[in-house]
Amino acid sequence: MEKENDTGIISENEFLNLLSLVQEENDELATLKLLDLFEQDIMRLSRFIRLPKEEAIQCMKVELIELLKKKHLSNQPTEFD
């Protein structure tokens, strides 16, 4: 059962390297690899959104890309500080 769900497992270092490439260099290949990593989750979650499936998938992908490209600087105050 677990083997069915673990197709997208990568090391933490590899994930952080891909994330760094996306944030620092806007690397398209790294972005595609990260999207592929979350593909199964996106497909599963799209069933629960009250939109056409294709639209729900595209919305989630756009939001994920925006989130991945956003740099979080720990020195900057947040809206809650």
Side-chain angles (χ1 to χ4, degrees):
M1 179 90 174
E2 284 184 30
K3 291 204 176 218
E4 293 175 14
N5 297 329
D6 69 357
T7 58
I9 294 178
I10 62 172
S11 70
E12 187 173 331
N13 280 341
E14 186 178 354
F15 177 80
L16 292 175
N17 287 334
L18 289 172
L19 185 59
S20 176
L21 286 171
V22 170
Q23 291 178 344
E24 307 281 324
E25 301 173 22
N26 199 25
D27 188 298
E28 186 176 329
L29 186 58
T31 303
L32 291 173
K33 285 183 181 180
L34 288 171
L35 280 174
D36 189 49
L37 180 65
F38 290 99
E39 184 72 24
Q40 287 182 356
D41 293 321
I42 290 170
M43 298 301 284
R44 182 178 51 81
L45 291 171
S46 70
R47 296 182 302 174
F48 303 107
I49 297 176
R50 293 184 182 209
L51 290 171
K53 186 173 184 170
E54 296 80 19
E55 189 175 343
I57 290 169
Q58 290 304 316
C59 287
M60 283 190 279
K61 285 183 177 182
V62 168
E63 291 292 329
L64 180 59
I65 291 170
E66 288 177 1
L67 183 65
L68 293 173
K69 289 187 176 190
K70 188 182 271 187
K71 292 183 185 179
H72 176 70
L73 301 175
S74 58
N75 301 25
Q76 292 183 342
T78 63
E79 63 182 274
F80 302 110
D81 289 340

